Amino acid sequence: MKPTFKLDAHPRRPRPLLSEPPAGYFDHLPMQIMARLPQAEAREAAAGWRWLAFLSPALRTSLASVAVLGGFAASFFLSGTPPLVPATASTASLDAVPRTELVGYLLTSGARVENSDLAILTAANPGLANGFLHASEDELNDALDAQPSEDATYL
């Protein structure tokens, strides 16, 4: 077991005596400090913004907020509107791709196609699947019956 520590049992080390400052140190100290202060030209340049010190902190904060929001609004309006691209360009290029190739891409590319997406497509164009889906009505019914469904709306 360790013995208890008692501070009185340990002798103190002698402190070294402080040395005297150089001769005339305190006489020259104010001049050295004044030499480090900003010059009069720098103070005159800052005088143009001195009026901000007279405003209340809430008013200064609101002024800064207005300046930031004004800069954002100005950059937004000066950037201009993006050039309009006709919407027919993308649909025309997709119409040139055969439907079987589109379906093959969607099934193999890892794209997340859900049943609701396909339901919207077939509702808009009921004969869409006739070109690539070759199954009898009995096969389709068997495949649909094998699907697990907990919601009564899909039955």
Side-chain angles (χ1 to χ4, degrees), residues 8-78:
D8 294 334
H10 299 283
R12 293 185 180 182
R13 288 186 232 154
R15 292 186 179 181
L17 295 175
L18 296 175
S19 61
E20 292 291 322
Y25 176 76
F26 290 107
D27 296 333
H28 298 292
L29 184 62
M31 294 300 173
Q32 290 175 348
I33 292 174
M34 292 301 287
R36 292 181 187 171
L37 292 176
Q39 300 301 323
E41 301 94 33
R43 279 185 261 149
E44 289 172 5
W49 295 98
R50 189 169 291 161
W51 59 274
L52 282 172
F54 297 117
L55 298 177
S56 69
L59 191 58
R60 284 186 293 210
T61 303
S62 63
L63 187 64
S65 299
V66 166
V68 169
L69 290 174
F72 173 73
S75 65
F76 181 73
F77 286 117
L78 292 177

Side-chain angles (χ1 to χ4, degrees), residues 19-152:
S19 61
E20 292 291 322
Y25 176 76
F26 290 107
D27 296 333
H28 298 292
L29 184 62
M31 294 300 173
Q32 290 175 348
I33 292 174
M34 292 301 287
R36 292 181 187 171
L37 292 176
Q39 300 301 323
E41 301 94 33
R43 279 185 261 149
E44 289 172 5
W49 295 98
R50 189 169 291 161
W51 59 274
L52 282 172
F54 297 117
L55 298 177
S56 69
L59 191 58
R60 284 186 293 210
T61 303
S62 63
L63 187 64
S65 299
V66 166
V68 169
L69 290 174
F72 173 73
S75 65
F76 181 73
F77 286 117
L78 292 177
S79 65
T81 59
L84 296 175
V85 178
T88 58
S90 62
T91 56
S93 62
L94 282 178
D95 287 339
V97 178
R99 296 218 184 245
T100 55
E101 192 173 328
L102 283 175
V103 171
Y105 170 76
L106 290 175
L107 292 176
T108 59
S109 69
R112 299 278 305 164
V113 179
E114 297 180 1
N115 289 338
S116 61
D117 298 331
L118 295 175
I120 292 170
L121 283 175
T122 55
N125 189 357
L128 179 68
N130 293 341
F132 58 86
L133 185 61
H134 306 289
S136 69
E137 193 170 323
D138 294 331
E139 291 172 340
L140 290 176
N141 286 333
D142 291 340
L144 289 174
D145 290 339
Q147 294 290 325
S149 178
E150 296 178 8
D151 195 359

